[in-house]
């Protein structure tokens, strides 16, 4: 079980997204103090109460709760509603309006809880973004209800995946399999290309490399979005000839060097695309290789501690979607400052200004 917490202002776009019956196969499984006649009435109900405390700018509360695909046979509307209500209660989100929308567009069961951060007495709800508290609560509820803790991507039933989830897991499988034998960026790129996967480095404005992306021709993900073990830095740790990669970058444009490498089978015509910049690969003393990888930002794990990506991509990798943890996020309109699939979908429902 995972909880993702967001705050913002403006219920319009969020409600339209959360109650998208056509694209998300949504059904409302629980609510309190809200007129459910239509999206318009839901939004109006929330807005009327929010006006009771006009000084509160981020009056929109949005929490998504996701469950393991392995529990899908058990996850009835009634059970999910019960767990969701207990989560809200333990987080101190009480005496206020809320609606729990269940989506059926992913392989894993998940709900979007939209609530008013202005309670029924006109007071602002506080403490509802306490991420460490949420970690403890999701972990406790997972145990109390006998739900499945994450066991890694290898144990996810691929047959139940569809759309972007299916593409993401396919890329994960192909990349981790390729990394068992590849020892250079060039060889990794070539192996993946034969499987229909293209690999590109993501550059900053100054030309330095900040990450890596993979595409199957239809969708593109950064390595970190596929799995934390597949960030630029973590893949670099798996490739054993890191210093050869550094040498290739340092000598780009050196005619004698490139001719020698071409003779040895290296495609130097594309070296600038294959390898990160030397500034991001070289250490000060020249003895070790490290990468300043923007994808390797720390995340919050199920103990509430921060941790980076894992270097052993061949081993079993903890699947974040299935772990009891929380992803902190604050953004306008009940949305997130972090880009993900749901956020992209919500942009379609942004109300027009009149």
């Amino acid at each position: 079980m995972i909880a993702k917490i967001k705050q913002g202002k403006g219920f319009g776009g969020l409600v339209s997204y959360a109650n998208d019956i056509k694209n998300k196969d949504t059904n409302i499984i629980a609510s309190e103090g809200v007129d459910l006649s239509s999206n318009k009435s839901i939004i109006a109900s929330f807005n009327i109460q929010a006006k009771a405390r006009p000084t509160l700018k981020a009056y929109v509360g949005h929490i998504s709760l996701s469950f393991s695909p392995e529990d899908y046979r058990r996850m009835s509307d009634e059970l999910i509603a019960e767990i969701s209500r207990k989560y809200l209660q333990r987080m101190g989100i009480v005496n206020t309006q809320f609606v729990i929308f269940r989506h059926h567009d992913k392989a894993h069961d998940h709900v979007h809880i939209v609530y008013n951060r202005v309670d029924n007495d006109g007071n602002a709800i506080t403490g509802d973004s306490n991420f460490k508290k949420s970690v403890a609560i999701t972990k406790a509820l997972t145990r109390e209800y006998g739900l499945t803790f994450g066991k890694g991507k290898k144990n996810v039933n691929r047959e139940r995946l569809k759309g972007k989830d299916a593409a993401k897991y396919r890329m994960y499988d192909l990349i981790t399999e390729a990394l068992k034998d590849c020892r250079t960026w060039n060889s990794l790129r070539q192996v993946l290309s034969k499987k229909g996967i293209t690999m590109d480095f993501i550059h900053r404005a100054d030309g330095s490399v900040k990450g890596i992306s993979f595409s199957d021709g239809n969708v593109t993900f950064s390595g970190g979005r596929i799995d934390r073990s597949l960030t630029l830095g973590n893949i670099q740790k798996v490739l054993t000839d890191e210093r050869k990669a550094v040498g290739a970058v340092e000598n780009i444009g050196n005619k004698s060097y490139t001719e020698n490498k071409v003779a040895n089978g290296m495609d130097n015509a594309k070296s600038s695309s294959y390898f990160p910049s030397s500034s991001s690969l070289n250490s000060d003393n020249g003895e070790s290789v490290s990468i300043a990888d923007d994808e390797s930002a720390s995340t919050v794990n199920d103990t509430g501690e921060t941790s980076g990506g894992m270097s052993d991509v061949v081993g079993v990798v903890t699947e974040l979607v299935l772990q009891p943890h929380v992803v902190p996020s604050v953004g306008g309109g009940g949305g997130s400052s972090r880009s993900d699939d749901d956020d992209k979908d919500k942009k379609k429902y942004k109300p027009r200004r009149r």
Side-chain angles (χ1 to χ4, degrees):
M1 178 179 174
I2 175 177
K4 186 174 183 179
I5 304 173
K6 308 176 185 179
Q7 294 179 0
K9 53 184 178 181
F11 285 101
L14 175 58
V15 170
S16 295
Y17 163 78
N19 200 30
D20 182 357
I21 298 174
K22 179 180 179 181
N23 297 310
K24 304 295 180 180
D25 192 17
T26 305
N27 64 299
I28 295 174
I29 61 176
S31 67
E32 189 70 43
V34 177
D35 181 354
L36 303 178
S37 302
S38 64
N39 284 357
K40 185 175 181 180
S41 66
I42 294 173
I43 295 167
S45 297
F46 280 128
N47 285 335
I48 291 173
Q49 183 156 306
K51 291 178 180 179
R53 197 172 187 86
T55 57
L56 182 62
K57 301 302 180 183
Y59 52 84
V60 175
H62 176 200
I63 297 172
S64 61
L65 297 179
S66 300
F67 306 88
S68 168
E70 295 182 35
D71 294 324
Y72 79 98
R73 295 184 185 279
R74 297 181 49 200
M75 306 311 290
S76 64
D77 288 347
E78 293 75 19
L79 180 60
I80 295 180
E82 180 180 324
I83 294 172
S84 300
R85 284 178 179 273
K86 285 192 176 182
Y87 174 86
L88 290 175
Q89 182 180 22
R90 296 182 188 185
M91 282 293 293
I93 304 172
V94 295
N95 189 37
T96 193
Q97 300 169 306
F98 69 84
V99 182
I100 303 176
F101 303 91
R102 181 178 183 178
H103 284 184
H104 300 271
D105 61 325
K106 301 287 185 181
H108 61 281
D109 288 298
H110 63 288
V111 296
H112 292 269
I113 305 173
V114 180
Y115 66 96
N116 206 325
R117 298 194 66 241
V118 178
D119 70 16
N120 299 334
D121 299 320
N123 299 315
I125 293 177
T126 59
D128 50 332
S129 289
N130 187 323
F131 304 119
K132 289 187 177 181
K133 180 179 179 181
S134 181
V135 168
I137 293 171
T138 54
K139 193 171 185 178
L141 288 172
T142 300
R143 286 173 174 164
E144 289 173 24
Y145 283 88
L147 301 178
T148 302
F149 283 91
K151 296 180 181 179
K153 279 187 168 65
K154 291 186 177 181
N155 293 320
V156 173
N157 185 353
R158 269 52 170 175
E159 294 180 358
R160 295 197 67 236
L161 300 176
K162 54 186 177 180
K164 292 181 179 179
D165 284 336
K168 183 184 295 184
Y169 274 75
R170 177 175 176 270
M171 290 186 205
Y172 170 82
D173 291 338
L174 291 174
I175 297 167
T176 52
E177 182 64 26
L179 281 168
K180 293 179 181 179
D181 300 313
C182 293
R183 291 297 175 265
T184 67
W185 286 107
N186 195 32
S187 63
L188 176 61
R189 184 178 184 124
Q190 291 175 353
V191 170
L192 292 178
S193 179
K194 293 178 181 179
K195 301 293 184 180
I197 304 298
T198 58
M199 180 184 80
D200 292 294
F201 290 104
I202 303 170
H203 297 268
R204 300 185 182 88
D206 62 3
S208 61
V209 173
K210 68 175 183 178
I212 193 168
S213 67
F214 300 90
S215 175
D216 65 359
N218 295 313
V219 292
T220 301
F221 297 104
S222 67
R225 284 286 307 284
I226 296 174
D227 191 83
R228 295 308 302 169
S229 64
L230 299 182
T231 64
L232 177 68
N234 287 330
I235 292 177
Q236 181 71 17
K237 293 174 185 177
V238 175
L239 300 176
T240 58
D241 61 343
E242 296 162 325
R243 300 189 188 202
K244 293 181 182 178
V246 175
V249 175
E250 290 177 332
N251 289 279
I252 290 175
N254 182 323
K255 185 176 180 180
S256 62
Y257 177 86
T258 54
E259 287 178 349
N260 178 58
K261 289 302 178 182
V262 169
N264 284 281
M266 177 180 286
D267 182 2
N268 287 282
K270 297 182 179 179
S271 293
S272 60
S273 297
Y274 283 16
F275 302 108
S277 67
S278 57
S279 62
S280 64
L281 284 169
N282 277 326
S283 63
D284 293 335
N285 58 21
E287 295 179 354
S288 61
V289 179
S290 62
I291 294 178
D293 183 1
D294 286 2
E295 294 179 295
S296 298
S298 61
T299 56
V300 182
N301 62 23
D302 60 2
T303 63
E305 301 173 344
T306 57
S307 61
M310 296 171 62
S311 60
D312 183 6
V313 301
V314 179
V316 177
V317 183
T318 303
E319 165 59 286
L320 292 179
V321 173
L322 310 183
Q323 285 290 1
H325 79 296
V326 61
V327 180
S329 179
V330 178
S336 170
S337 58
R338 175 183 173 185
S339 175
D340 57 21
D341 295 342
D342 286 349
D343 292 334
K344 291 177 182 178
D345 288 340
K346 284 197 284 292
K347 290 180 181 178
K348 297 186 297 185
Y349 305 101
K350 187 174 182 179
R352 296 179 179 177
R353 292 187 177 182
R354 298 178 181 275

